[in-house]
Amino acid sequence: MNFSKQDIAQIEKKGLTVKQVEQQIEIFEDGLPFSNLVSAATIGNGILSLTEQEIDDYVLKYESQLQALSILKFVPASGAATRMFKFLFKFLNEYDIDKESINSYINTHNNKDLSIFFIGLEKFPFYHIVIEKLLKSYPDFYELSTDKQRLLFVKMMLDANKLNYGNYPKGLLPFHEYKNQIISTAFEEHLFESALYSPDGKDVCLHYTISEQYNHKFDKEFERIKKKVETKTQSKFDISFSHQKESTDTIAVTPKDEPFREVDGSLCFRPSGHGALLENLNDLEADIIFIKNIDNVVNFKYKEIVAKYKKMLAGILIELQGKVFHYLKILDEGSPSEDMRVEIGEFLINKLNVRINSEFEKYSAKYQMEYLIEKLNRPIRVCGMVKNEGEPGGGPFWVKDESGNESLQIVESAQINKKNKHQKRILKSSTHFNPVDLVCSVKNYKGEKFDLKAYVDPKAAFITMKTKMGKDLKALELPGLWNGSMANWNTIFVEVPLITFNPVKTVNDLLKAPHQIK
């Protein structure tokens, strides 16, 4: 690929090298393989289901060791709220009040979302904020027709020169309304939740990945709520922020795999999806890291139950991590007996879901030890999985890689070849999906941090079709943070109840019980 001097300067300014960009273009040219599903992970086949007593025991295990641990919560929060209001933007774009009523529009377009939105209007946490603004702009607001009121309400919410909610970071939108019209955001709810599973007497540590343009907004929001949150939780908070690094952007190409050019002739680079956040995660240090998306929060009534299952997942992690470290020390110290090597192999199979090579017993003792160390000495993730009730998202599967090794993976539907009947059948047989509810161990048995970039499956990236300036382009997304970016971690899936998963993908999700106070 021949790049001009200007191209090379642009590439290097991003923190990339020409070689990296050429490798990205090669990926477009060669294409990426689909995941090779072996079977869905189900209860008893890759997913743990615990009794109430076992759940309580793991909660206790976590609580008993909590004071000695450094805890951090990692919250991807860079998304704008635009997609939450997609059907409302469409309504504003299409609806003409002079030609039809809103009911007629809803019926013509079979727009159930819009119908639900208007039926539940007064229950939204931002209702009083919008009404207050409307009354200032339109003193005769309540004398207008219902259709006019509704149209103005949506405009006040979304117009760029009004509340502009569609361009808000999702984490700072009104999510819950408490007594006396006190509003809380998802950002704030994460603080309250995290305090419930952080050590007493230590700072509650959270790290949010945000868009650089919103820096001041998050700082301002924390200053606004700091006193209230610290008083109610009796905790101090250590909050840090980072941005998706420019060096993780990927080049866009034309359908013929040539670099896509902007109007001014410069190369077109695009953010590479949540897999880029592995760089941010890799910069952090803690004994245990909880990972949860910004929009997956609940109001105060449900926080204790959500925290209970967080503690359960962390208790499982602590127990497994203890065993892993114990075995690695034995292997490090010299020559464990054959019985001990067998015990470690069985632990890998039964507790860490590792499929041991069928030739293992034929290996020399020295090579068996090297093999066991290589399998044990990795980051660990314990992932909550909820029963599949039709929500979009990735799911837990047994996957075979190009070397024939089978492992547990979180696979997105875009990674599955749905034209292959066998793969489609496996996809349909899945019973659980991924709510992004992870607890991670990122240090080895010597207390040293793993380089998380060493455990990525680069072939688990995505190629997607986009348009820009009316032209088609191909974009490259890095392996997803909890997908291919963690492909070579030791992975445990555990069933958690649906109450732990309450994402706000559309504004109407705010009408569901976990987001309503009354």
Side-chain angles (χ1 to χ4, degrees), residues 73 175-178 184-194 196-197 292-308 310 497-504 509-510 512-517:
K73 188 176 187 183
F175 256 46
H176 301 145
E177 183 184 12
Y178 292 104
S184 76
T185 61
F187 171 74
E188 180 181 333
E189 297 291 11
H190 272 286
L191 304 184
F192 279 112
E193 183 196 295
S194 301
L196 293 173
Y197 44 85
K292 193 177 179 188
N293 276 333
I294 186 68
D295 64 347
N296 184 12
V297 290
V298 291
N299 69 52
F300 77 97
K301 288 191 293 186
Y302 300 91
K303 277 198 173 24
E304 291 285 351
I305 185 112
V306 168
K308 173 183 173 180
K310 286 280 180 298
L498 203 55
I499 187 59
T500 62
F501 182 62
N502 301 283
V504 178
D509 287 331
L510 290 172
K512 292 178 180 176
H515 299 293
Q516 290 288 312
I517 312 304

Side-chain angles (χ1 to χ4, degrees), residues 17 41 73 88 94 134 138 250 294 297 301 357 367 403 432 434 454 470 473 501 508:
T17 64
K73 188 176 187 183
L88 291 175
E94 294 176 346
L134 284 167
Y138 307 95
T250 53
I294 186 68
V297 290
K301 288 191 293 186
N357 193 304
Y367 187 50
S403 304
H432 291 71
N434 165 44
L473 64 78
F501 182 62
N508 288 349

